[in-house]
Amino acid sequence: MTVTLSRITISRGELSFFEAVPEAGSEVKGTVVMVPGFTGSREDFLPMAPFVTAAGYRLISYSQLGQYDSDGPDGPEAVGEYTIAKFALDVVEVLDQVAPGEKVHLLGHSFGGLVTRAAVLNDPERFLDYVILDSPPSGQNLGGAMDMGPIPELLWAGGNEALWQAMFGAFEDIFPAPVKDFLHNRIMVTKTANIAGIALTMGTEPDRVGELSATGVPILVVAGEHDVIPVDIQADAASRLGVKFEIIAGAAHTPNEEKPEELTKVLVDFWGGVA
């Protein structure tokens, strides 16, 4: 496996991304693009790289506009740049550069699931298939642990540190020191307007399951067994889509980091079935 960390320029700025490819001489079965969620970044999918590439797939992920190590405007006046509709257009710009003319396997995690859903609805023919990972069908299905409502006011009053203390402070002891330091630094350098804008756009996103079902794109819904987004709501979305719902045992909201090998096996089985 070879992993390259780099940057890519789209119309709205430079984004950090990584590309992981199988060993030289190995067959490449296709390209997988994974999009991170709220307060996330490309690093969320690095634990999956050894397993995805070992299965023969090229893996790409990028930090969305305003996320860790990516460009993006900041300040209250920039909140409108961070909407699901605009992030979805970014997805296609990235694909046009990293996989021009190629249909790809797409995965969106959490908020990234709403962004990628909009991208699929915009252009279903661009994607071989679509995986929804730990993502709600609407902004009204987040569960109490992920209430977006108070976040903008909290941010503008106390900055990103206030968000860290409110959302992650109680869990600091569960992270090894290097992981905690990275997560804290990532939140601190994420554009405040990005976090506030996502909270606003995510909180008002409607249920679009019916529209998604009508695209005919092969879909898989996956959730961690202990996800903070209610698992029964995700199971219901899968049922309405008429697709399989997979649970990753022992994982919470980030199976991509907690159980990367187990998650990859589920994904490879799905991709192989579609092929």
Side-chain angles (χ1 to χ4, degrees):
M1 173 186 74
T2 301
V3 177
T4 303
L5 305 178
S6 189
R7 298 177 69 79
I8 187 170
T9 301
I10 63 170
S11 61
R12 300 210 294 154
E14 281 192 352
L15 308 180
S16 64
F17 82 105
F18 81 78
E19 176 184 21
V21 297
E23 294 293 341
S26 302
E27 176 192 5
V28 179
K29 299 176 182 177
T31 297
V32 182
V33 176
M34 298 186 176
V35 180
F38 179 65
T39 72
S41 66
R42 65 182 181 180
E43 284 77 11
D44 294 343
F45 300 104
L46 280 171
M48 297 186 68
F51 307 108
V52 172
T53 56
Y57 294 90
R58 172 186 181 227
L59 172 60
I60 289 172
S61 183
Y62 65 95
S63 301
Q64 297 195 74
L65 190 81
Q67 289 185 330
Y68 175 69
D69 203 31
S70 282
D71 288 349
D74 210 356
E77 68 283 354
V79 167
E81 293 302 309
Y82 299 104
T83 65
I84 288 170
K86 290 184 177 182
F87 281 128
L89 296 177
D90 295 343
V91 172
V92 176
E93 283 200 54
V94 170
L95 295 181
D96 286 345
Q97 293 197 47
V98 302
E102 179 184 356
K103 296 181 74 166
V104 303
H105 305 278
L106 182 67
L107 179 148
H109 173 245
S110 194
F111 171 71
L114 300 179
V115 170
T116 48
R117 181 176 71 182
V120 171
L121 290 173
N122 286 345
D123 187 7
E125 295 301 317
R126 192 69 178 79
F127 307 99
L128 290 168
D129 48 57
Y130 174 40
V131 176
I132 304 168
L133 177 63
D134 293 282
S135 185
S138 81
Q140 291 72 55
N141 300 132
L142 302 179
M146 293 190 69
D147 182 9
M148 297 283 112
I151 287 176
E153 183 177 353
L154 177 71
L155 287 167
W156 301 127
N160 292 17
E161 180 64 31
L163 179 73
W164 170 263
Q165 294 299 330
M167 292 190 67
F168 300 100
F171 302 101
E172 284 191 12
D173 291 341
I174 71 173
F175 299 122
V179 175
K180 180 182 73 174
D181 291 345
F182 169 74
L183 294 175
H184 181 258
N185 180 59
R186 181 167 71 176
I187 288 236
M188 295 307 295
V189 302
T190 297
K191 300 295 189 291
T192 303
N194 165 283
I195 303 173
I198 288 176
L200 291 169
T201 192
M202 192 172 187
T204 58
E205 177 70 1
D207 188 316
R208 305 184 73 183
V209 169
E211 295 174 69
L212 186 60
S213 180
T215 65
V217 174
I219 296 169
L220 175 68
V221 180
V222 185
E225 179 183 12
H226 307 295
D227 191 10
V228 294
I229 296 173
V231 173
D232 60 338
I233 289 175
Q234 297 179 69
D236 176 70
S239 176
R240 288 188 286 137
L241 286 166
V243 304
K244 192 172 184 180
F245 178 56
E246 294 275 8
I247 292 180
I248 306 300
H253 189 57
T254 54
N256 42 301
E257 298 175 89
E258 301 162 76
K259 299 286 184 180
E261 184 173 10
E262 292 85 347
L263 174 58
T264 300
K265 183 181 185 307
V266 167
L267 299 182
V268 170
D269 288 346
F270 171 62
W271 297 330
V274 170

